[in-house]
Amino acid sequence: MLKVFGILAMTYLGLVAQSSLVPGGSTNLGGPFFPALLLVMIAACCGGASSVLWSGLVGLLLDGMSNDKMGVQLILAVVLALMLQWTRSMWGSQSLVALVAMVMVVCLSWRALSPMTLAVLSGRVVDPQVILTDAIQDATWSGTIAAALILVGRGLMRPGIRGNSMNLSRSVPRMRTAVR
Amino acid sequence: MTGSGAGPVACLLMLVGAGLHFAPDTVNARIRATVSDALRPGQSAARQVSILARENLSQLATKAEAARQRELNQLQEQLQEEQERTAALQLQLARLSELQNREDALPERMRSLPPLVSTSLVSADVLGDSIAEKWKKGKLLNRGEASGIRESELVVKSRHSLVDVGRDGKLSAEDALLLGRCVIGKIERVGRWTSTFLLLTDSGYRGRAQLVHQTDTGFVFVGKGILEGQGSPLCRLKGISSSEAVTVGDTVYTSARDGQPSTPLYYGRVVEATLDPAESEWMVLVEPVPVPSDLTSVQVLRTSVNAGRLTEGQ
């Protein structure tokens, strides 16, 4: 229950941040793409069907937040969720580098495929070079934000983990004595 | 392992996505309105946080820098006000001559009738940007159906009444409210408590427009056309016949249509006008009013039928 609430809350915050805090189209510097971070977080927290469902929810909400044709973000989110599931099954690493790399790849793929797909569907001509440049900028921002968030999160969790390991080491000698 | 349940769930979700893509616009509009309304509390909170952060950051700057910035902002505001005052006065001149011509053509009985449509301005806060591709970004507002906002209503930039036209003759109350106002977009979709608007420069913006051209005898309205956003900093004005005279520097205003206020609102000015001998229309590019990147509030032009005019006819 707590996990469900946590994922819902993070999804809400991520989309609010994307629409309210990330600079709009007037800047050429790009910005973080929080839905990519959400997808990687969901993949790290849960697996299988639930991961795909939550990712689909992120995509659906993203569709609802946009002025473009609906359904595209939902399908992209599901495809990227499946890709993340496959990556986890192959490598399964939760290191900082692995997580940041996943965020950057998801962001790059999403920010490149989304405008191209929408352009094809609406019969609009776009410059792939511009799209790719924008996608790389967004992926860099997203990777940086992800690294910062992971480091802060792990830093906050560390005292709790140390405390638990100390309790475990104290209990082991008593167990050995009992066995003798 | 991707999990045995992931595949079927993914297929189902993709089917849902495809269904949404081909669903009627009313269904999609309802979903979008629901999502916008649900996110509104968080966006309002985020907006307050960013305003507070900006204020605190500006307080950290040295006093001299802050004073310089304040002076710069004041000068920019004054410049903008002067530019908009000039635009309003041009328009006023053109409208007076057109009103006179129109009134002379009306039967006596109809000259004293009140206008069919009455207008009001509704203030709205900008909550953020819609998550869309750069050619069709759109902005989110914290006003929706509950505030009487409807689709296609114009969004204007200026908060202040810029031009003191009350003393000038033959101008209506609507003119006093609207003269000098600059259009920056129009409402695209409306939820219960939120709405989105497209900027003039967003692909998908279309609005009726007319040119005001300076002649030897003064300012006159010339050709009417459609102003289109192109997803770039300049808009395109289509439908201006090759028989019209268009020059760089002409100003572009909204053009009235049934149910819309008759006071034209400022769109921008012509920066490029070319006429290919083989074409029947001018290729006109318009530079719209600049919209600040930190736009925090706008006003929505709300129109309603004048009840006085309806009872007059009974």
Side-chain angles (χ1 to χ4, degrees):
Chain A
M1 195 64 196
L2 201 60
K3 190 196 273 187
V4 168
F5 180 74
I7 294 175
L8 272 174
M10 294 310 294
T11 301
Y12 189 88
L13 285 174
L15 289 174
V16 163
Q18 187 66 37
S19 60
S20 301
L21 302 178
V22 173
S26 58
T27 174
N28 287 327
L29 300 174
F33 189 60
F34 288 100
L37 277 80
L38 287 173
L39 252 61
V40 173
M41 180 202 73
I42 288 166
C45 288
C46 44
S50 57
S51 172
V52 173
L53 262 176
W54 283 116
S55 302
L57 177 66
V58 172
L60 180 63
L61 292 174
L62 208 55
D63 270 323
M65 291 291 301
S66 79
N67 292 329
D68 303 310
K69 283 291 230 177
M70 282 200 77
V72 174
Q73 308 296 343
L74 168 56
I75 292 172
L76 276 173
V78 167
V79 167
L80 290 168
L82 287 173
M83 188 192 83
L84 280 169
Q85 288 297 302
W86 177 78
T87 309
R88 277 196 73 207
S89 67
M90 292 295 287
W91 288 289
S93 172
Q94 296 266 35
S95 69
L96 174 66
V97 172
L99 289 172
V100 170
M102 276 194 274
V103 167
M104 291 182 74
V105 167
V106 167
C107 182
L108 185 66
S109 311
W110 206 333
R111 296 302 280 158
L113 289 172
S114 168
M116 286 190 197
T117 310
L118 288 162
V120 164
L121 290 172
S122 60
R124 191 185 165 89
V125 175
V126 290
D127 185 352
Q129 201 171 350
V130 168
I131 289 173
L132 207 55
T133 310
D134 290 345
I136 291 170
Q137 284 173 343
D138 292 351
T140 310
W141 276 104
S142 302
T144 310
I145 299 282
L149 288 172
I150 293 167
L151 285 170
V152 166
R154 287 182 177 175
L156 288 171
M157 278 176 61
R158 197 168 292 153
I161 293 170
R162 207 180 292 138
N164 287 339
S165 66
M166 279 173 68
N167 289 337
L168 186 64
S169 65
R170 254 193 245 120
S171 68
V172 166
R174 277 194 222 126
M175 282 172 62
R176 285 184 187 156
T177 308
V179 165
R180 281 187 200 144
Chain B
M1 208 54 69
T2 56
S4 57
V9 170
C11 289
L12 183 64
L13 286 172
M14 285 192 210
L15 277 172
V16 168
L20 283 173
H21 187 75
F22 294 107
D25 285 343
T26 46
V27 171
N28 291 342
R30 180 67 62 92
I31 295 171
R32 288 196 171 112
T34 306
V35 171
S36 297
D37 288 343
L39 290 174
R40 186 195 172 208
Q43 286 167 336
S44 297
R47 181 176 174 273
Q48 293 302 320
V49 165
S50 68
I51 289 172
L52 274 170
R54 225 178 288 153
E55 284 170 7
N56 287 335
L57 278 172
S58 65
Q59 278 172 9
L60 287 174
T62 61
K63 280 188 184 171
E65 271 181 44
R68 213 177 305 128
Q69 188 60 40
R70 262 198 306 273
E71 198 185 335
L72 181 64
N73 289 343
Q74 274 171 4
L75 287 170
Q76 279 175 342
E77 270 180 35
Q78 279 172 17
L79 174 65
Q80 192 178 330
E81 282 183 16
E82 286 304 316
Q83 285 172 342
E84 288 168 350
R85 184 183 172 84
T86 307
L89 287 170
Q90 283 179 1
L91 176 64
Q92 189 182 338
L93 280 168
R95 277 206 13 105
L96 283 171
S97 63
E98 186 174 313
L99 275 171
Q100 187 62 52
N101 293 337
R102 215 188 295 165
E103 272 213 16
D104 288 345
L106 282 175
E108 188 66 41
R109 183 178 64 84
M110 290 181 70
R111 286 184 197 175
S112 58
L113 283 175
L116 177 63
V117 172
S118 61
T119 56
S120 59
L121 288 171
V122 177
S123 292
D125 293 330
V126 178
L127 296 176
D129 296 319
S130 71
I131 303 173
E133 298 316 318
K134 283 183 181 171
W135 63 73
K136 200 179 179 188
K137 202 75 176 178
K139 290 195 178 282
L140 302 161
L141 298 178
N142 69 343
R143 293 267 184 251
E145 233 172 52
S147 305
I149 304 291
R150 293 178 307 178
E151 284 179 17
S152 299
E153 286 182 339
L154 296 176
V155 177
V156 295
K157 179 182 173 187
S158 176
R159 182 182 284 275
H160 308 290
S161 178
L162 292 172
V163 181
D164 180 8
V165 293
R167 288 194 291 269
D168 299 307
K170 287 205 131 184
L171 292 174
S172 64
E174 175 192 288
D175 282 350
L177 179 68
L178 298 177
L179 264 181
R181 304 269 178 188
C182 306
V183 177
I184 58 171
K186 70 173 180 182
I187 299 291
E188 195 196 17
R189 67 170 187 270
V190 181
R192 183 102 182 97
W193 298 291
T194 58
S195 52
T196 59
F197 76 93
L198 284 181
L199 293 171
L200 292 189
T201 49
D202 288 335
S203 166
Y205 183 91
R206 288 170 65 85
R208 290 170 184 253
Q210 58 186 347
L211 283 166
V212 171
H213 180 64
Q214 186 173 6
T215 64
D216 296 333
T217 51
F219 293 97
V220 291
F221 290 106
V222 289
K224 294 184 180 183
I226 303 287
L227 188 75
E228 281 189 359
Q230 303 185 98
S232 65
L234 298 178
C235 302
R236 173 117 185 244
L237 181 59
K238 286 182 166 177
I240 305 293
S241 166
S242 54
S243 59
E244 304 284 358
V246 182
T247 50
V248 172
D250 285 350
T251 44
V252 182
Y253 288 84
T254 58
S255 170
R257 61 176 181 173
D258 294 342
Q260 292 289 319
S262 58
T263 302
L265 302 174
Y266 184 69
Y267 267 137
R269 64 181 192 91
V270 174
V271 292
E272 190 179 317
T274 51
L275 180 62
D276 192 326
E279 298 289 328
S280 60
E281 283 182 14
W282 284 88
M283 212 287 286
V284 181
L285 292 179
V286 177
E287 182 186 47
V289 172
V291 174
S293 56
D294 60 347
L295 184 71
T296 55
S297 56
V298 295
Q299 290 184 304
V300 181
L301 184 63
R302 193 172 58 183
T303 57
S304 52
V305 176
N306 191 341
R309 177 69 179 266
L310 291 178
T311 55
E312 187 88 21
Q314 287 172 0

